[in-house]
Amino acid sequence: MRGVTHARCAVCAVAVALVATACGGGSDSGTSGADGIVKSSWGDPQNPLEPANTNEVQGGKVLDMLFRGLKRYNAKTGAAEDMLAEKIVTPDSVNFTITVKDGWTFSNGEKVTAKSFVDAWNYGANLKNNQKNAYFFGYIDGYAQVHPDKGRPTAQTLSGLKVVNGKTFTVKLSQKFSTFPDTLGYSAFSPLPTAFFNDHDAWLSKPIGNGPYTVSSYTKGATMEMRRWDAYPGPDKAQNGGIDLNVYTDSNTAYTDLTAGNLDLVDDVPASQLKNVQADLGDRYINTSAGIIQTLAFPHYTPAWNTPDAAKVRKGLSMAINRRQITDTIFQKTRTPAKDWTSPVLGADGGFDGTLCGLECEYNPAEAKKLITEGGGIPGGQLKISYNADTGSHKEWVDAVCNNINDALGNDKACVGNPVGTFADFRNQIGQHKMPGPFRAGWQMDYPLIQNFQQPLYYTNASSNDGLYSNPEYDKLVDQANAETDTAKAVDLFKKAEQVLRDDMGAIPLWYQNGSAGYSERLSNVALNPFSLPVYNEIKVS
Amino acid sequence: MGRYVIRRLLQMIPVFFGATLLIFLMVNVMGDPVAGLCGDRQCDPATAAQLRTEFGLDKPLWQQYLTYMGNVFTGDFGTAFNGQEVTELMGEAFPVTIRLTLVAIFFEILIGITLGVLTGLKRGRPVDTGALLLTLVVISIPTFVMGLLLQLLLGVEWGVIKPAVSTEAPLNELIIPGLVLASVSLAYVTRLTRTSIAENARSDYVRTAKAKGLPRRRVVSRHLLRNSLIPVVTFIGTDVGALMGGAIVTERIFNIHGVGYQLYQGILRQNTQTVVGFVTVLVIVFLLANLLVDLLYAVLDPRIRYA
């Protein structure tokens, strides 16, 4: 009998505790005004947070708050503007002399010098550090010794980098690259303090940078609390007290939390909520263009796709796709039909041209059928569009594109989707050049330059030329553009190269992707930059 | 009894090796994990090769498996791609999921058995029919629908709970997720208890107990319930493992950073070390839970003890 009463009491106690604590879940909104804290959604970064090792948005978000580099891209125009760089001079587009501004320090008090950059870049380029962005340093002389394709590195530092004095260093490139200074705003080129090299593990658990925020606490996989650094020497001081980044397992939950008032900022509105977003948030929903383009890449390594006739087929396929309808209905206008192979964020001066693709990117099923028939029909008889099925809801649009093609050709079986289970396997098959037909390709720019939308993707054997597109004429024009010191002329040459790409229809441009975000009533002055990251330091809390 | 326990423990060894080997093979069939690490671009071949060497992915599969198992016995579950030790991830994830599971089991026992006894004793009455209908509804609604619905109603519309559970996942924030996780099992527990009670209520020993003039409460709790609980205990015991592994949906909806979240992340990023490590631990939990059930039998029914 005694045992029974005992057990029953334990149950009562737990029940009482549960009910009692249930009432304790009130909301604790932080302080407001200039010291207000912004609660923002986050995703778990895929890699350790090092500048040269972060190649996805979630980690990039942190680096953007934590670091300032030689250049910084204007949040509105995307233009590269001097930040820590006092001046960058070159006589020949190969040798650059870079002077760092005085008065900059890391948040631990250490001065930012020329050496901070040179050390960071040497670290990023060295094969033994496994940095995924190492290829950014590929233009610098001596990269092949530090980062050989096979075997061990034969040198520990890049021979093209030399510290002249405390605030000056020189860079020698292995080829002409006139727009090189404009690439230096990318976070891979951030300076690093000596603390990074002395105690790497400690740095990783609490990164130290030179940006407007400092890390006050970091629980891996869960939260990162960033606070305004009051002694920040730069011109773009934080307008709020700090940012709390909270990892959400699902963007839907983050959105729900925003509507419930527990979260201030969501920078990825889930596709399923786009229908409600106007009603839920009104003008607190942002939908602006970002430097991301989606294309259909082709396996140019397959002989059947590498013929002049196949180019005709590719043009026909491009004309069979009703881009406007798909972006309006499936993507709820968060994508814009593509009209060239760059992005609107570049602006006309930067090389964006809404007329470049012309009629070949316009929906015209009759002409499409004519071109595909003239080109001898689809190689292999059936078009298989490959995509990864695990993330990004690609199935919907691939099915829509296939429907367009089937309708244009009047054949139910002309095009089918070919889902691949995981992204890793999808990348795996692409890397091994095993694609049975066109496959989805997305490109998020590293820096707002037309060069970045062209060379890595379509230059012969370039790092992200997954379809192995190759045209000597194209390569020649890109080389000329890189050698051209006058920016306007360089952009023109890149556009000429892009026209070669168009005439081959090397890849079908589908749509430009927008950045979308939503925020709570507490916030104002929220904007997305061309990389679709919120401009955190400008956010005001009321 | 001692020999029985030892035999059961020994049986766990081949199951353990078989299960881990299967998971190992399955994860490896999905392709080269390093390929997906560099985003929408191709990894630079030298770095990819170096990463493969570092994670031991360049060795033949059987060697990878042996090395992995060897490390596991020294407590080393490897490193996830983001540089965190898998044991560290486990240390964060398992307490949260165990808490969630305990809340779920608590509801199963409290609501499930209470409702079951109530309906079992009043078979055919309106209470019984009502409860049966209710359980039918609960069983037929998918967990994610119920989760999203409760989240929307309680979290957004009425503001009773927070829609997302915070990182520390305190007990009070886990009540609703626990209820959602428990819902389907809860309905089964109710039905199992009801049937079992109804069956035993007509048995000889209950009649004898009543005839002896024992108070009704004592008849029900000591005689009727004790015998009726055997199938229910079996169910709840095996459910412990199922709840821990099956929490993926609930954890995702309520933003709980538990085992389900880590497994999902691991599968998505094709992180062999994370997936195999977590599944290995789940297999052990499952086996131990089963063992515990069998031992509980002996406590509940002395006839089994001496068999």
Side-chain angles (χ1 to χ4, degrees):
Chain A
M1 197 64 206
R2 206 157 148 198
V4 174
T5 34
H6 223 86
R8 203 184 293 139
C9 274
V11 170
C12 297
V14 175
V16 168
L18 280 174
V19 172
T21 44
C23 314
S27 71
D28 54 322
S29 48
T31 47
S32 54
D35 290 328
I37 307 292
V38 179
K39 281 187 268 181
S40 175
S41 72
W42 197 29
D44 194 19
Q46 195 174 11
N47 307 308
L49 286 171
E50 299 165 288
N53 203 19
T54 298
N55 57 0
E56 38 76 55
V57 183
Q58 304 305 338
K61 214 180 264 183
V62 175
L63 296 180
D64 190 60
M65 288 187 253
L66 206 57
F67 281 102
R68 287 295 178 263
L70 290 164
K71 294 256 185 183
R72 183 161 175 80
Y73 302 113
N74 187 298
K76 287 197 181 65
T77 63
E81 293 162 353
D82 284 347
M83 196 57 162
L84 266 76
E86 194 170 283
K87 56 179 192 283
I88 300 175
V89 288
T90 175
D92 52 4
S93 294
V94 171
N95 291 288
F96 293 82
T97 306
I98 299 172
T99 316
V100 185
K101 275 182 192 157
D102 271 331
W104 282 82
T105 58
F106 292 100
S107 57
N108 62 357
E110 186 189 331
K111 277 188 77 171
V112 183
T113 61
K115 193 169 175 295
S116 317
F117 285 96
V118 172
D119 286 351
W121 296 7
N122 277 326
Y123 179 87
N126 198 327
L127 177 59
K128 72 171 202 265
N129 298 322
N130 288 342
Q131 303 286 294
K132 294 182 190 76
N133 285 342
Y135 63 92
F136 275 91
F137 308 99
Y139 298 103
I140 299 173
D141 217 19
Y143 180 75
Q145 282 78 50
V146 181
H147 198 112
D149 286 340
K150 279 196 186 79
R152 314 292 311 161
T154 52
Q156 294 305 310
T157 52
L158 291 160
S159 59
L161 290 179
K162 287 208 169 58
V163 179
V164 177
N165 57 41
K167 49 185 285 193
T168 316
F169 66 105
T170 58
V171 183
K172 184 170 184 283
L173 303 184
S174 49
Q175 62 176 84
K176 286 192 173 192
F177 186 9
S178 56
T179 44
F180 173 70
D182 286 351
T183 66
L184 297 177
Y186 189 70
S187 58
F189 293 104
S190 301
L192 285 169
T194 47
F196 177 88
F197 305 100
N198 293 342
D199 192 346
H200 192 224
D201 287 341
W203 192 92
L204 281 183
S205 57
K206 199 173 177 187
I208 299 162
N210 66 330
Y213 292 96
T214 58
V215 178
S216 77
S217 81
Y218 178 26
T219 317
K220 274 185 189 164
T223 47
M224 181 180 255
E225 292 180 358
M226 322 255 320
R227 290 294 167 266
R228 180 181 60 211
W229 177 29
D230 285 318
Y232 173 64
D236 52 343
K237 284 191 195 311
Q239 309 287 309
N240 46 55
I243 313 281
D244 282 358
L245 297 171
N246 292 315
V247 172
Y248 278 85
T249 51
D250 186 355
S251 57
N252 274 299
T253 314
Y255 184 82
T256 311
D257 228 7
L258 175 74
T259 50
N262 295 321
L263 190 70
D264 293 322
L265 179 63
V266 166
D267 60 357
D268 173 25
V269 178
S272 54
Q273 301 286 359
L274 288 171
K275 278 189 291 249
N276 319 326
V277 75
Q278 280 297 340
D280 287 346
L281 300 173
D283 55 1
R284 287 180 286 116
Y285 166 60
I286 311 175
N287 178 18
T288 48
S289 42
I292 307 170
I293 184 171
Q294 306 285 344
T295 59
L296 269 189
F298 286 91
H300 293 279
Y301 42 80
T302 313
W305 279 109
N306 200 7
T307 63
D309 275 348
K312 249 184 190 166
V313 175
R314 288 195 290 269
K315 277 181 200 170
L317 291 173
S318 169
M319 294 175 88
I321 301 168
N322 193 344
R323 294 173 176 77
R324 173 63 63 192
Q325 195 189 31
I326 294 175
T327 53
D328 280 3
T329 54
I330 294 180
F331 294 119
Q332 303 282 333
K333 297 191 174 157
T334 57
R335 315 271 151 112
T336 315
K339 298 187 180 308
D340 72 347
W341 283 260
T342 66
S343 161
V345 298
L346 295 179
D349 291 342
F352 168 70
D353 187 345
T355 61
L356 196 127
C357 187
L359 287 174
E360 287 165 15
C361 291
E362 296 292 335
Y363 179 55
N364 187 347
E367 184 67 20
K369 185 173 185 183
K370 199 178 131 226
L371 276 171
I372 294 173
T373 321
E374 273 177 31
I378 294 165
Q382 190 183 42
L383 197 69
K384 279 188 179 164
I385 302 183
S386 304
Y387 60 96
N388 57 307
D390 54 349
T391 49
S393 44
H394 297 299
K395 185 184 189 308
E396 283 90 344
W397 70 259
V398 170
D399 286 350
V401 164
C402 269
N403 273 334
N404 282 162
I405 292 169
N406 291 345
D407 284 351
L409 295 178
N411 172 3
D412 272 356
K413 295 189 175 66
C415 174
V416 288
N418 175 35
V420 179
T422 61
F423 181 67
D425 194 19
F426 181 63
R427 284 301 325 171
N428 204 18
Q429 292 187 22
I430 290 176
Q432 294 177 354
H433 305 308
K434 277 186 178 163
M435 280 296 158
F439 51 94
R440 77 151 195 101
W443 182 253
Q444 169 148 30
M445 66 176 185
D446 302 312
Y447 29 81
L449 287 178
I450 185 171
Q451 182 265 350
N452 192 239
F453 281 95
Q454 296 294 318
Q455 193 173 352
L457 291 161
Y458 308 113
Y459 193 82
T460 303
N461 289 328
S463 58
S464 288
N465 189 348
D466 291 328
L468 298 188
Y469 172 76
S470 177
N471 184 327
E473 179 69 16
Y474 180 89
D475 294 355
K476 202 180 91 196
L477 285 162
V478 168
D479 288 339
Q480 281 175 12
N482 277 329
E484 181 58 66
T485 44
D486 183 87
T487 313
K489 281 186 191 155
V491 167
D492 259 355
L493 282 162
F494 270 117
K495 273 167 74 174
K496 284 218 176 72
E498 203 182 335
Q499 283 160 13
V500 174
L501 177 68
R502 174 198 60 196
D503 295 338
D504 286 343
M505 195 51 81
I508 296 178
L510 292 170
W511 30 76
Y512 312 118
Q513 189 169 323
N514 288 5
S516 63
Y519 56 95
S520 72
E521 281 159 355
R522 290 176 70 221
L523 305 189
S524 60
N525 209 19
V526 184
L528 292 177
N529 69 12
F531 300 90
S532 77
L533 285 180
V535 188
Y536 285 103
N537 58 295
E538 308 234 310
I539 296 175
K540 290 191 173 114
V541 184
S542 65
Chain B
M1 192 72 184
R3 274 181 62 189
Y4 175 67
V5 174
I6 290 170
R7 216 169 62 207
R8 286 298 307 267
L9 285 173
L10 285 177
Q11 275 172 7
M12 279 164 70
I13 296 171
V15 177
F16 174 75
F17 280 106
T20 44
L21 181 64
L22 270 179
I23 294 295
F24 214 84
L25 290 174
M26 279 194 257
V27 177
N28 272 279
V29 164
M30 295 198 292
D32 179 10
V34 172
L37 273 184
C38 296
D40 261 326
R41 67 185 87 220
Q42 203 183 329
C43 277
D44 110 68
T47 311
Q50 175 117 343
L51 283 170
R52 249 175 241 130
T53 320
E54 197 178 301
F55 291 111
L57 296 166
D58 53 344
K59 302 210 174 67
L61 194 57
W62 62 269
Q63 209 174 334
Q64 285 183 42
Y65 179 72
L66 285 185
T67 322
Y68 181 83
M69 288 320 279
N71 287 339
V72 163
F73 282 107
T74 60
D76 175 12
F77 280 84
T79 316
F81 288 147
N82 68 353
Q84 270 180 290
E85 298 275 317
V86 174
T87 43
E88 195 185 321
L89 292 176
M90 287 178 182
E92 288 162 14
F94 271 101
V96 174
T97 299
I98 289 172
R99 226 163 23 235
L100 181 66
T101 312
L102 285 179
V103 173
I105 298 273
F106 172 77
F107 280 123
E108 273 181 33
I109 293 173
L110 188 78
I111 304 178
I113 295 185
T114 315
L115 261 182
V117 172
L118 218 70
T119 50
L121 290 176
K122 301 200 186 283
R123 226 153 51 103
R125 306 266 185 84
V127 189
D128 182 32
T129 327
L132 271 184
L133 267 175
L134 200 75
T135 52
L136 190 69
V137 170
V138 170
I139 292 172
S140 52
I141 298 178
T143 315
F144 76 93
V145 174
M146 176 134 26
L148 287 172
L149 205 69
L150 283 180
Q151 184 184 43
L152 190 73
L153 286 178
L154 297 174
V156 182
E157 297 296 324
W158 303 331
V160 185
I161 58 159
K162 284 188 182 179
V165 172
S166 55
T167 319
E168 301 78 30
L171 217 49
N172 61 323
E173 289 184 13
L174 291 178
I175 294 174
I176 298 299
L179 200 59
V180 170
L181 181 62
S183 58
V184 173
S185 307
L186 199 154
Y188 282 125
V189 169
T190 308
R191 293 186 151 218
L192 258 175
T193 316
R194 173 187 175 271
T195 319
S196 190
I197 290 266
E199 205 173 291
N200 289 332
R202 278 170 299 181
S203 60
D204 293 342
Y205 65 87
V206 172
R207 206 172 346 151
T208 313
K210 275 186 191 158
K212 275 198 294 189
L214 286 178
R216 189 178 153 79
R217 248 181 60 196
R218 195 166 162 79
V219 174
V220 171
S221 64
R222 296 244 80 176
H223 296 260
L224 183 53
L225 203 54
R226 184 167 172 166
N227 281 292
S228 309
L229 277 185
I230 293 178
V232 181
V233 166
T234 321
F235 180 78
I236 294 179
T238 44
D239 211 33
V240 173
L243 285 178
M244 288 191 89
I248 295 186
V249 176
T250 319
E251 290 193 355
R252 209 166 139 72
I253 291 173
F254 291 99
N255 193 38
I256 300 168
H257 297 230
V259 173
Y261 167 65
Q262 294 294 353
L263 264 179
Y264 177 76
Q265 230 20 349
I267 291 169
L268 213 58
R269 291 176 182 176
Q270 223 182 321
N271 208 326
T272 322
Q273 316 276 339
T274 322
V275 178
V276 180
F278 273 84
V279 172
T280 306
V281 176
L282 281 179
V283 167
I284 295 175
V285 170
F286 214 96
L287 291 173
L288 285 178
N290 268 319
L291 179 67
L292 204 70
V293 168
D294 288 354
L295 296 183
L296 260 181
Y297 274 178
V299 177
L300 285 171
D301 189 344
R303 283 172 302 177
I304 297 172
R305 199 180 312 171
Y306 302 120

